[in-house]
Amino acid sequence: MTDGYSGPWPSQLPSGSFPGMTPPPARVRRPATVKVSFWLIVAAAVVPLVLLPFTLNVVSDYVNTVLAQSAIQSRRALPPGFAQQFSQMMVPFAWVGGFIGLAVQVLLALGIWTGRNWVRILLTVLVGLNVLGSLSGLALGLAVRGFVSAPGYLATTPYATMTPLYGVGLAISAVQAVAIILAWLPTSNFFFAMSKAVRSGYRR
């Protein structure tokens, strides 16, 4: 039965292959641009969690400012300790949200690591929106600081209070933007294309 067969024999083929079967595709080498992009996205996800105490402090000042303005406009004094209780209620929700956000961004970073093109597109859109939001918020906060000159009014301006957060957000968005640019460079494009081809080959 084997007189007319000249090979290759199973022992000569890659593991898991048989005569007449296409060998599995070679492993795609991950370029440095994808590796750096991955770690920048992870870093941009970790920094907000590290800065969460600072963020909570700024948001607490913002809430106190808004409540104080509301009390002045309504001419009704707030219950004693109401502002502090309200700020304390935000703390557990902020930490839970921070960890959830970290987990989601790490998963998206893993999508870049494994060459998932839809993740790259999604991150590009999200980072673009983050940059626009941070720029508009920072511009509005700086405008308020520049144009409000009434004594004592600057300290009670909500947008001026939130300006530091918009600055931090813009810096994080800039890191994410660099990561996205790296993910769209030619070497990264080749990696994403080859990763898709490898996955398609395994699905056949």
Side-chain angles (χ1 to χ4, degrees), residues 47-202:
V47 169
L49 198 62
V50 174
L51 294 179
L52 192 55
F54 167 75
T55 302
L56 287 171
N57 185 55
V58 174
V59 173
S60 178
D61 290 343
Y62 172 81
V63 170
N64 291 336
T65 299
V66 172
L67 291 177
Q69 286 183 344
S70 176
I72 293 173
Q73 293 173 358
S74 63
R75 297 182 180 180
R76 293 181 180 178
L78 295 173
F82 177 79
Q84 290 76 8
Q85 293 178 358
F86 189 85
S87 298
Q88 290 175 358
M89 288 175 57
M90 296 187 303
V91 174
F93 294 101
W95 280 105
V96 171
F99 279 108
I100 292 175
L102 173 64
V104 170
Q105 292 186 69
V106 169
L107 287 176
L108 292 175
L110 289 173
I112 296 294
W113 184 265
T114 55
R116 308 282 176 171
N117 192 54
W118 69 269
V119 174
R120 182 170 61 161
I121 295 173
L122 177 62
L123 273 173
T124 302
V125 174
L126 292 177
V127 170
L129 293 176
N130 285 340
V131 170
L132 289 177
S134 297
L135 280 174
S136 60
L138 182 62
L140 183 57
L142 292 176
V144 169
R145 285 180 179 273
F147 287 109
V148 175
S149 57
Y153 187 78
L154 181 61
T156 62
T157 303
Y159 282 117
T161 305
M162 294 290 285
T163 301
L165 288 189
Y166 291 123
V168 172
L170 184 59
I172 294 173
S173 296
V175 173
Q176 293 173 330
V178 173
I180 293 301
I181 292 173
L182 290 173
W184 285 100
L185 291 180
T187 52
S188 299
N189 289 336
F190 179 78
F191 169 75
F192 277 85
M194 292 303 298
S195 297
K196 180 180 180 181
V198 167
R199 288 192 296 271
S200 299
Y202 280 128

